[in-house]
Amino acid sequence: MKNIALTGFMATGKSVVGKKVADILSFGYIDTDCLIEKICGMKIPEIFDKYGEKYFRGIEKVAVKRASRLKNHVISTGGGVVLNPSNIVQLRKHGFVICLKARPEIILRNLGDADNRPILATDDVYGKIKMLLDERQHFYEFADYTIDISEMGIDDAALAVVEAYSKLKTR
């Protein structure tokens, strides 16, 4: 079985939906952000503060490579993983890339406290979300399948991912 790699902007449910999908399909589950923290021995905000985004993206590439080599896994990726096209190539080698998307107001609601999101360190979080969504839109289009989760709960989103995976497997 091929992996399912979930991409999409932060707070679109990649982690929570990914865990649910892994349970439904009896797959393993891995979160590249958690893997990055394990590799570095520190939390992502600390990595950004101490080393900057460029360093973080380099470690992210290593984490994606490790995760994509696994078999029968749901891989939840960080929101910016798509910024490096080689990450998408790597994820596609052993799986399908499914993008979860949501409207900016849904993302803002899902974020709750944005303090642990270094990329959103601003007074206008909503504006920054909209700007980043616009900047990244064309990167997200490289997914094999896209699901708008704006009007879905976790269970419905997970079932939509499973359904998309089933369709992709038969191509």
Side-chain angles (χ1 to χ4, degrees), residues 35-99:
L35 187 53
I36 290 165
E37 290 179 346
K38 189 174 179 182
I39 291 168
C40 292
M42 62 180 76
K43 297 287 183 191
I44 288 173
E46 294 174 78
I47 299 167
F48 267 79
D49 286 347
K50 191 168 184 177
Y51 300 108
E53 184 175 1
K54 186 175 179 180
Y55 176 84
F56 171 81
R57 296 295 173 204
I59 300 298
E60 183 175 59
K61 185 175 177 180
V62 171
V64 165
K65 195 168 192 169
R66 284 188 193 175
S68 66
R69 289 181 181 156
L70 299 169
K71 294 191 182 344
N72 303 326
H73 271 69
V74 175
I75 304 166
S76 293
T77 65
V81 79
V82 296
L83 299 175
N84 184 339
S86 71
N87 287 335
I88 299 302
V89 170
Q90 191 64 43
L91 290 167
R92 276 198 168 133
K93 268 187 189 176
H94 305 288
F96 298 111
V97 177
I98 298 176
C99 180

Side-chain angles (χ1 to χ4, degrees), residues 1-4 21 24-25 27 96 98 144-145 147 158-171:
M1 298 280 234
K2 287 191 162 203
N3 292 327
I4 299 170
V21 170
I24 292 169
L25 296 175
F27 273 28
F96 298 111
I98 298 176
D144 296 302
Y145 202 92
I147 299 167
L159 290 174
V161 170
V162 170
E163 185 178 316
Y165 180 66
S166 296
K167 288 178 185 175
L168 290 168
K169 283 191 326 188
T170 59
R171 278 193 193 171

Side-chain angles (χ1 to χ4, degrees), residues 110-139:
N110 290 350
L111 274 172
D113 180 14
D115 288 347
N116 64 343
R117 309 284 183 153
I119 207 90
L120 293 179
T122 179
D123 290 336
D124 182 13
V125 175
Y126 182 78
K128 182 76 176 227
I129 289 168
K130 286 181 69 168
M131 183 196 76
L132 288 170
L133 281 171
D134 288 344
E135 283 178 5
R136 295 177 179 183
Q137 181 54 43
H138 68 283
F139 291 109

